[in-house]
């Protein structure tokens, strides 16, 4: 077992399924202390139960709700004192041509995929600064590099995640903060 992640406080959004769940399992196997969120309570509960003592905190949360981020930051501060890694993984998509996509659905995709990432970084930054070396991992998509029909809101949000992540990385470097910022582009 590698010791790189042992006893590191790692927050993973969207941890109830998919990439988030796979990351939670991987980091649990390496001794990390996990903080898991997902909008789907049932999926989150199943993941949490499977990982047992590796889970420090788990909360049903909506990545696009500031109040959920504020409450989570408070819980982390009280229970862990700091955060070593933030993995902004939660996301959603929609399918349909732009002119057939409601404004409400377009906004919801943008709120979850980019606004959630921005809020997560903003609310968790003070806790990451308390780590010896913090890390932010923002999950974009191959669709933040290329486009195809019927996914306009998703493309817009993932291009934005990529741009935000690159800009945030530059801010951290310029300010000489000990927080690494990484963008991940799953294919």
């Amino acid at each position: 077992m590698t010791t790189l992640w042992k006893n590191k406080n790692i927050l993973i959004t969207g941890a109830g399924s998919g990439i988030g769940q796979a990351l939670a399992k991987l980091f649990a196997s390496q001794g990390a202390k996990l903080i898991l969120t997902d909008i789907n309570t049932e999926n989150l509960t199943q993941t949490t139960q499977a990982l047992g003592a590796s889970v420090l905190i788990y909360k049903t949360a909506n990545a696009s709700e500031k109040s959920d981020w504020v409450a989570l930051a408070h819980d982390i501060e009280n229970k862990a004192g700091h955060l070593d890694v933030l993995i902004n993984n939660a996301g959603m998509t929609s399918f349909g041509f732009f002119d057939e996509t409601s404004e409400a659905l377009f906004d919801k995709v943008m709120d979850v995929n980019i606004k959630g990432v921005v809020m997560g970084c903003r609310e968790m930054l003070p806790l990451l600064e308390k780590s010896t070396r913090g890390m932010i991992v923002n999950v974009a998509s191959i669709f933040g590099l290329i486009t195809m029909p019927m996914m306009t809101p998703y493309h817009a949000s993932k291009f934005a995640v990529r741009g935000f992540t690159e800009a945030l990385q530059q801010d951290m470097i310029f300010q000489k903060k000990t927080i690494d910022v990484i963008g991940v582009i799953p294919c």
Side-chain angles (χ1 to χ4, degrees):
M1 174 171 79
T2 179
T3 59
L4 180 64
W5 304 110
K6 187 166 180 58
N7 294 320
K8 297 291 184 183
N9 297 325
I10 301 176
L11 166 57
I12 305 170
T13 66
S17 62
I19 292 171
Q21 184 182 61
L23 288 171
K25 289 177 181 177
L26 175 66
F27 286 122
S29 75
Q30 296 181 8
K33 294 187 230 170
L34 301 175
I35 300 148
L36 307 178
T37 70
D38 200 285
I39 198 166
N40 183 307
T41 302
E42 184 178 336
N43 287 354
L44 179 61
T45 300
Q46 289 174 359
T47 300
T48 300
Q49 288 173 346
L51 299 176
S54 297
V55 180
L56 183 63
I57 299 169
Y58 68 98
K59 290 182 77 104
T60 300
N62 182 337
S64 67
E65 290 292 330
K66 182 175 177 69
S67 60
D68 287 356
W69 281 109
V70 170
L72 183 60
H74 183 261
D75 289 350
I76 294 168
E77 176 76 36
N78 288 337
K79 192 147 191 179
H82 75 281
L83 185 63
D84 295 300
V85 181
L86 164 63
I87 302 175
N88 280 309
N89 170 69
M92 67 169 290
T93 192
S94 66
F95 297 97
F97 292 110
F98 172 73
D99 58 343
E100 297 168 352
T101 302
S102 71
E103 184 176 348
L105 180 56
F106 195 101
D107 290 349
K108 183 177 180 181
V109 173
M110 295 297 286
D111 284 350
V112 171
N113 292 358
I114 182 61
K115 188 176 169 188
V117 167
V118 171
M119 281 190 290
C121 291
R122 187 176 304 283
E123 296 303 322
M124 295 302 146
L125 196 57
L127 293 167
L128 288 161
E129 288 180 300
K130 293 179 179 184
S131 175
T132 305
R133 182 96 198 170
M135 180 183 291
I136 295 171
V137 179
N138 293 332
V139 179
S141 168
I142 189 67
F143 294 124
L145 295 172
I146 62 171
T147 60
M148 59 184 281
M150 300 182 71
M151 295 179 67
T152 304
Y154 188 73
H155 288 302
S157 68
K158 292 303 183 173
F159 269 80
V161 168
R162 197 180 103 225
F164 170 75
T165 301
E166 291 175 12
L168 181 61
Q169 181 184 60
Q170 293 301 308
D171 281 358
M172 295 296 109
I173 292 168
F174 188 79
Q175 293 178 294
K176 296 182 177 17
K177 292 192 185 237
T178 57
I179 300 172
D180 297 311
V181 181
I182 299 167
V184 176
I185 301 177
C187 297

